[in-house]
C-alpha cells in the first residue's frame, strides 16, 4: 500500500522524483518525459502573459536543470528555451522566476552543458534588471567563470568577445539615457577592474576599456574608472589584514601562556597558523597600478580629452580633483605637453582653496624635464605670492615652500635665482616647519645646481664640486645618456683593488726585531720650526682654508675677512695672456679626464652586471669621496618620487606641530578613554572581588584553629544576661533589615 501511494505522489512531488532519477535514470524515464512535456506546455502558456507569477514553472525549470545530465538527448533544447525567455522578457519577469532561470543556467554552465561565449553576454544584458540580489549573483558567477576559463591558459577568444561586448555596453550608456544601461555599464566596469586586479585580464585592451569609461556622462562610471588608475591602497590594506591576523595569533599565544592549556585552544592556534601560512602562499597577484597607465594606447589623446572635461567644470569638486590628479599622473609618467593645464592649476593655488595640498600635488606630478620653464615660472610665482608671505600662517608658508621644492626637483630651470635666494632666507625662521622646508630646498639645489644659491648656503661639498667642475647643470631639452646613475663607478674597481691588496698580507709574518718607525712607541712629530698641522674643524657651511704654497713655505693663517678681500681682488684683476692659456689648458685636461671617465663607465655598463649591493656600495663610496668620513645620506630628487610618478601629500604638508586641543576635544578624548572601563568609585558591595573578607574566612576555618581565641572562649563563659542581650540585639537588627 505504501509503494502505491508513493507512485501516485511522484508526478506532483518533484524533489522525490529528482532523487530517484539521479539514482536510476532508466527506470524513471517515463516520469521524466511526462514532466518535460508538462514544462513545454506550461512554458507556451506562460509566454502569452510573461508578467504573471509562475511558481509551478519555476519548480519545473529547477527540476529539469538538476536531472538534465541524465537525459542529454531529450533536454538538448532546454537551455535554449531558458535563454530565449530571458532575452525577450527579462525586464518584465517575476523576480523569483527570473532568479530561478539564472540559477538553472549557472548550473548547466557548471556542468559544461552550455558554452560561456553564449551565456556571459546574456548575463551582461541582465544587469539592466532592477534586482540587486540578481546582480550580485550574476557578478560573482561572471568573475568566477572567467577566472576558471583562464586558469590553465589564456582564453583569448572568450576574453576578446567579452571585452568587445563591454565596450558596446559603455557606448550604449553614453548614447542612451536609461538607468538600466548605466547600471549595466557600471557593473561591466567593476568586472573589468576586478579581473585586472586579480591578474586575469591584465592586457592593454582591458585598460583601454576602463580608460574609455573615464569619459562616461554617468558620474558613478567615470569615478570608478578614475579610481582604478589612482588606486594605491590595496597593498596597504593587505598588509593591515596580515598584521591583524598576526596580532590575533600573538594574542592567542599569550593567552595560552597565562591560562589553562586545552585541546580546543591549541586547535584554534593551529588553525590561525595555517590561515597565515595559506595567505602567504596563495598571495593575491600584485597589481601595479602604474603599469595600467603605461598600457594606454594614446596617452596624449586620453590626457587632452580628460583635460577638456576638467576645464568644462561639469562635475562637482571631488570628481574634478580626482580627474586633475589622473591628468597630472599621465602627464608626468609619459612626459606629455599640455600647456593649458598649468594656467588652470593657478586658479586653484590659493590658501583658502579646498584641498589645496592636493592641487599642489597635481602641480608637482604634472612637472617633468620637458615642460618649458616659461610655463612653470608663473606657477611658482603664484605659489610664492599666495603662500610664502608674512600675511599667511606658518603652516601655509611651509606648504608653499614644500610645493616649490617638489616642482623644482623635477624641473630645476623653472625657478630664477632671485626667487630661490629669497625663499632660502627662511632657513632661520622661528617656526620649525618653515625652517625645515627652506633647508630642504637648499639641500636640493646643493645637489642639482649650487651656483644658484648664495655662497654661504652652498656648503663644503657643493663648493668643492663647483671648483672641480664636476657639477653638471642640465639645460632645457638636454637628454642624459642613461649613465647618470653610474657616475663614479670606477670607485668600485679601486675599492676592490684596495681590498685585494689588504688580503695579500695574510701570509706574511711580522718581524718582532724590526726597528721600524711604525712600531709601537713614540711617533716623530714636526718641531715648532717645521710645518704646522692642518686640521679642518669646519662645518659644511664654512669656507675652505687656503692650501700651502708650492714653494715649501709654511702656511699662513688668514682670517675670513682677509680671505674674502683677496678673492675679490683676484676677481677684479684682468687675466693676462699666460693665465688665459693656462685656463684653456686646464679646461682641455679636464674635458679629457671626463671623456676617459665616461668611456670607463660605458665599458663597465656593457661588460659587467651590477647588483643592488654594488649600487649601495657605490653610493657609499661617492659619499665618502665628497665628505671624507661623513656617512649622512643626502636628499635626492628620486627619494620623494615613487616609481609611478606619484607625489605623497605628506611631502607637501611636511612635519606639523600638534595643535592645542580645545575643551570639546579634551572632553571627547576623556570620554573615549573611559569606554569599556568600570565606573570609578568605591568597590564596597561589589560581588566581583578577587577574594573573600577576613570575616568570611574566619567562618570557614576549622574549629580547632579558632577554639583558643578570646572571642570563642568568651562565648562559652557568657552569663544568661549577656546571652539575652546579644539575642535582643540580633532580633532588632533583623527587624531593621526588613524595613
Amino acid at each position: 500500500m505504501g509503494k502505491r501511494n508513493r507512485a501516485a505522489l511522484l508526478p506532483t512531488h518533484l524533489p522525490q522524483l529528482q532523487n530517484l532519477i539521479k539514482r536510476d535514470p532508466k527506470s524513471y524515464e517515463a516520469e521524466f518525459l511526462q514532466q518535460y512535456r508538462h514544462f513545454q506546455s506550461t512554458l507556451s502558456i506562460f509566454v502569452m502573459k510573461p508578467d504573471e507569477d509562475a511558481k509551478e514553472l519555476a519548480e519545473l525549470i529547477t527540476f529539469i536543470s538538476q536531472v538534465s545530465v541524465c537525459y542529454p538527448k531529450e533536454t538538448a533544447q532546454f537551455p535554449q528555451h531558458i535563454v530565449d525567455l530571458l532575452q525577450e522578457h527579462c525586464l518584465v519577469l517575476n523576480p523569483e522566476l527570473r532568479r530561478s532561470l539564472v540559477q538553472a543556467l549557472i548550473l548547466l554552465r557548471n556542468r559544461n552543458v552550455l558554452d560561456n561565449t553564449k551565456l556571459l553576454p546574456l548575463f551582461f544584458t541582465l544587469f539592466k534588471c532592477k534586482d540587486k540580489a540578481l546582480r550580485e549573483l550574476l557578478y560573482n558567477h561572471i568573475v568566477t567563470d572567467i577566472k576558471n576559463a583562464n586558469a590553465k591558459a589564456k582564453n583569448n577568444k572568450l576574453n576578446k568577445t567579452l571585452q568587445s561586448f563591454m565596450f558596446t555596453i559603455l557606448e550604449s550608456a553614453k548614447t542612451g539615457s536609461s538607468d538600466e544601461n548605466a547600471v549595466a555599464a557600471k557593473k561591466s566596469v567593476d568586472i573589468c577592474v576586478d579581473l585586472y586586479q586579480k591578474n586575469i585580464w591584465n592586457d592593454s585592451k582591458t585598460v583601454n576599456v576602463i580608460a574609455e569609461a573615464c569619459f562616461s556622462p554617468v558620474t558613478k562610471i567615470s569615478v570608478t574608472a578614475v579610481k582604478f588608475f589612482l588606486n594605491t591602497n590595496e597593498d596597504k590594506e593587505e598588509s593591515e589584514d596580515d598584521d591583524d591576523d598576526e596580532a590575533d595569533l600573538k594574542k592567542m599565544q599569550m593567552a595560552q601562556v597565562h591560562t589553562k592549556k586545552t585541546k580546543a585552544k591549541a586547535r584554534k592556534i593551529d588553525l590561525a597558523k595555517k590561515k597565515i601560512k595559506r595567505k602567504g602562499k596563495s598571495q593575491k597577484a600584485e597589481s601595479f597600478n602604474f603599469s595600467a597607465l603605461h598600457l594606454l594606447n594614446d596617452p596624449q589623446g586620453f590626457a587632452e580629452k580628460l583635460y577638456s572635461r576638467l576645464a568644462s567644470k561639469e562635475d562637482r569638486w571631488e570628481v574634478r580633483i580626482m580627474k586633475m590628479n589622473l591628468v597630472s599622473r599621465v602627464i608626468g609618467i609619459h612626459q606629455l605637453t599640455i600647456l593649458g593645464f598649468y594656467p588652470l592649476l593657478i586658479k586653484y593655488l590659493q590658501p583658502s582653496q579646498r584641498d589645496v595640498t592636493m592641487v599642489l600635488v597635481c602641480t608637482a606630478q604634472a612637472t617633468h624635464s620637458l615642460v618649458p620653464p616659461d610655463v612653470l615660472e608663473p606657477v611658482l610665482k603664484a605659489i610664492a605670492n599666495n603662500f610664502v608671505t608674512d600675511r599667511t600662517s606658518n603652516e601655509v608658508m611651509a606648504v608653499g615652500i614644500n610645493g616649490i621644492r617638489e616642482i623644482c626637483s623635477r624641473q630645476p630651470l623653472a625657478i630664477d635665482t632671485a626667487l630661490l635666494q629669497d625663499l632660502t632666507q627662511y632657513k632661520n625662521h622661528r617656526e620649525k616647519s618653515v625652517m625645515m622646508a627652506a633647508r630642504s630646498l637648499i639641500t636640493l639645489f646643493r645637489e642639482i645646481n649650487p651656483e644658484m644659491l648664495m655662497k654661504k648656503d652652498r656648503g663644503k661639498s657643493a663648493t668643492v664640486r663647483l671648483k672641480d667642475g664636476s657639477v653638471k647643470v642640465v639645460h632645457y631639452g638636454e637628454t642624459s645618456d642613461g649613465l647618470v646613475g653610474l657616475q663614479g663607478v670606477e670607485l668600485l674597481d679601486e675599492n676592490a683593488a684596495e681590498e685585494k691588496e689588504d688580503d695579500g698580507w695574510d701570509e706574511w709574518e711580522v718581524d718582532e726585531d724590526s726597528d721600524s718607525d711604525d712600531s709601537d712607541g713614540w711617533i716623530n712629530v714636526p718641531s715648532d720650526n717645521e710645518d704646522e698641522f692642518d686640521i679642518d674643524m669646519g662645518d659644511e657651511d664654512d669656507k675652505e682654508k687656503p692650501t700651502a704654497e708650492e714653494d715649501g713655505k709654511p702656511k699662513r693663517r688668514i682670517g675670513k675677512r682677509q680671505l674674502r678681500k683677496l678673492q675679490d681682488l683676484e676677481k677684479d684683476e684682468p687675466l693676462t695672456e699666460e693665465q688665459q692659456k693656462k685656463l684653456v689648458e686646464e679646461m682641455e685636461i679636464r674635458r679629457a679626464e671626463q671623456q676617459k671617465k665616461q668611456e670607463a663607465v660605458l665599458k663597465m655598463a656593457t661588460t659587467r652586471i651590477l647588483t643592488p649591493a654594488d649600487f649601495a656600495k657605490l653610493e657609499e663610496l661617492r659619499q665618502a669621496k665628497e665628505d671624507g668620513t661623513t656617512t649622512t645620506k643626502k636628499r635626492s630628487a628620486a627619494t620623494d618620487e615613487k616609481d609611478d610618478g606619484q607625489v605623497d601629500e605628506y611631502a607637501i604638508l611636511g612635519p606639523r606641530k600638534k595643535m592645542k586641543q580645545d575643551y570639546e576635544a579634551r572632553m571627547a578624548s576623556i570620554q573615549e578613554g573611559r569606554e569599556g572601563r568600570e565606573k570609578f568609585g568605591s568597590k564596597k558591595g561589589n560581588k566581583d572581588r578577587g577574594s573573600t573578607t577576613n570575616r568570611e574566612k574566619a567562618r570557614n576555618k576549622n574549629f580547632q584553629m579558632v577554639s583558643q581565641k578570646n572571642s570563642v572562649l568568651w562565648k562559652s563563659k557568657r552569663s544568661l544576661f549577656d546571652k539575652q542581650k546579644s539575642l535582643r540585639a540580633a532580633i532588632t537588627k533583623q527587624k531593621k533589615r526588613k524595613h
Side-chain angles (χ1 to χ4, degrees), residues 243-267:
D243 294 341
D244 293 341
D245 293 337
E246 292 177 3
D248 293 340
L249 178 61
K250 290 181 180 178
K251 190 175 180 181
M252 293 166 65
Q253 289 174 343
M254 289 299 294
Q256 195 179 21
V257 171
H258 300 290
T259 57
K260 186 178 179 181
K261 296 178 179 63
T262 60
K263 290 184 178 179
K265 292 178 182 178
R267 204 180 301 117

Side-chain angles (χ1 to χ4, degrees), residues 324 339-351 353 356 359-360 363 374-383 385-387:
M324 194 184 298
L339 300 180
F341 183 65
Y342 304 98
L344 176 69
L345 294 172
I346 294 176
K347 298 178 183 178
Y348 303 108
L349 290 174
Q350 299 288 340
Q353 174 64 43
V356 69
V359 178
L360 287 168
T363 309
D374 298 339
V375 178
L376 290 174
E377 188 175 354
V379 178
L380 292 183
K381 287 184 178 179
I383 297 172
N385 295 332
N386 297 334
F387 289 81

Side-chain angles (χ1 to χ4, degrees), residues 650-667:
Y650 291 102
I652 301 282
L653 289 171
R656 306 189 70 187
K657 187 168 65 175
K658 188 177 180 181
M659 300 299 292
K660 189 176 180 180
Q661 290 181 330
D662 53 0
Y663 177 76
E664 288 79 8
R666 290 200 305 272
M667 292 305 297

Side-chain angles (χ1 to χ4, degrees), residues 526 528-532 547-556:
D528 295 338
N529 297 327
E530 296 178 359
D531 294 345
E532 296 178 357
T547 57
E549 297 180 1
E550 296 178 358
D551 54 358
K553 292 182 181 180
K555 297 178 182 178
R556 292 172 55 195

Side-chain angles (χ1 to χ4, degrees), residues 8 105 205 218 225 237 285 312 336 362 401 407 424 438 444 487 499-500 569 581 592 632 731:
L105 289 177
K205 191 167 185 179
V218 183
E237 291 173 1
S312 63
L336 308 177
C362 297
I401 298 174
I407 295 171
T424 55
L444 174 67
Q487 295 299 325
E499 291 179 355
K500 192 173 181 181
L569 289 172
K581 288 180 180 179
T632 55
I731 293 171

Side-chain angles (χ1 to χ4, degrees), residues 358-526:
M358 203 63 216
V359 178
L360 287 168
V361 166
C362 297
T363 309
Q365 288 176 166
T367 305
H368 53 85
S369 59
L370 298 181
V371 179
D374 298 339
V375 178
L376 290 174
E377 188 175 354
V379 178
L380 292 183
K381 287 184 178 179
I383 297 172
N385 295 332
N386 297 334
F387 289 81
V388 193
T389 60
D390 296 334
R391 299 185 302 274
T392 57
S393 63
N394 296 323
E395 291 82 3
V396 174
M397 293 172 66
V399 165
I401 298 174
N402 287 329
I404 291 173
R405 183 202 68 221
E406 291 295 330
I407 295 171
C408 292
S409 65
R410 291 157 178 80
Q411 178 54 286
L413 303 175
I415 191 169
D416 56 353
T417 307
L419 179 58
L420 175 63
Q421 293 180 1
D422 187 21
L423 294 175
T424 55
Q425 297 299 319
Y426 290 96
K427 66 179 181 178
N428 295 323
H429 198 272
R430 62 181 181 274
E431 183 66 23
K432 187 177 181 181
S433 59
V434 180
M435 177 193 68
M436 292 179 67
R439 292 189 177 184
S440 66
L441 187 63
I442 292 172
T443 306
L444 174 67
F445 274 89
R446 279 180 180 176
E447 195 172 328
I448 58 178
N449 193 1
E451 286 183 348
M452 296 182 68
L453 296 170
M454 290 186 286
K455 288 184 179 180
K456 61 181 180 180
D457 295 332
R458 290 175 183 173
K460 181 179 177 181
S461 61
T463 306
V464 171
R465 287 190 294 121
L466 278 173
K467 289 185 177 181
D468 294 342
S470 59
V471 177
K472 185 179 180 182
V473 180
V474 179
H475 301 284
Y476 177 68
E478 183 179 354
T479 57
S480 61
D481 51 3
L483 301 174
V484 178
L486 295 176
Q487 295 299 325
V489 76
E490 67 276 359
L491 297 173
L492 287 174
D493 293 336
E494 295 175 4
N495 184 61
E498 290 177 2
E499 291 179 355
K500 192 173 181 181
E501 289 178 2
D502 294 340
D503 295 340
W505 290 97
D506 294 341
E507 299 178 358
W508 288 75
E509 295 180 359
V510 180
D511 188 4
E512 296 179 356
D513 299 333
S514 175
D515 297 327
S516 175
D517 292 338
D518 297 333
S519 60
D520 295 338
W522 295 97
I523 300 174
N524 294 329
V525 297

